[in-house]
Amino acid sequence: MKSVDVRALSADQLNDELAKLKKEQFNLRFQKATGQLEKTSRINEVRKDIARVKTIARQKAAEAKA
């Protein structure tokens, strides 16, 4: 997910996206533990997407306060 796409989302959409990514991260970890994970690079992609969403959500919250 590109940061341009994330910046276009509203605060509620960011929270929904974060919840979806965390659920996907859990499922990927579960697949890895059971040996069913085929695309291991997806774990790192999801981690970075979570960080990206959190960062942009924090920036938007700071802009709203200022």
Side-chain angles (χ1 to χ4, degrees), residues 18-65:
L18 183 61
K20 185 184 85 159
L21 288 168
K22 285 192 175 250
K23 186 178 287 192
E24 182 179 356
Q25 184 184 37
F26 174 79
N27 289 333
L28 289 170
R29 283 198 321 251
F30 198 85
Q31 288 175 8
K32 182 179 179 187
T34 59
Q36 296 175 345
L37 185 62
E38 293 179 11
K39 190 174 178 186
T40 57
S41 64
R42 185 67 184 140
I43 292 174
N44 287 334
E45 291 173 12
V46 170
R47 280 184 54 219
K48 289 179 182 181
D49 285 345
I50 289 171
R52 191 172 292 121
V53 168
K54 283 184 173 183
T55 300
I56 292 173
R58 190 180 74 242
Q59 288 173 348
K60 286 188 175 196
E63 288 174 4
K65 286 185 178 181

Side-chain angles (χ1 to χ4, degrees), residues 9-24:
L9 300 176
S10 69
D12 290 336
Q13 290 172 328
L14 285 173
N15 289 334
D16 292 341
E17 186 67 25
L18 183 61
K20 185 184 85 159
L21 288 168
K22 285 192 175 250
K23 186 178 287 192
E24 182 179 356

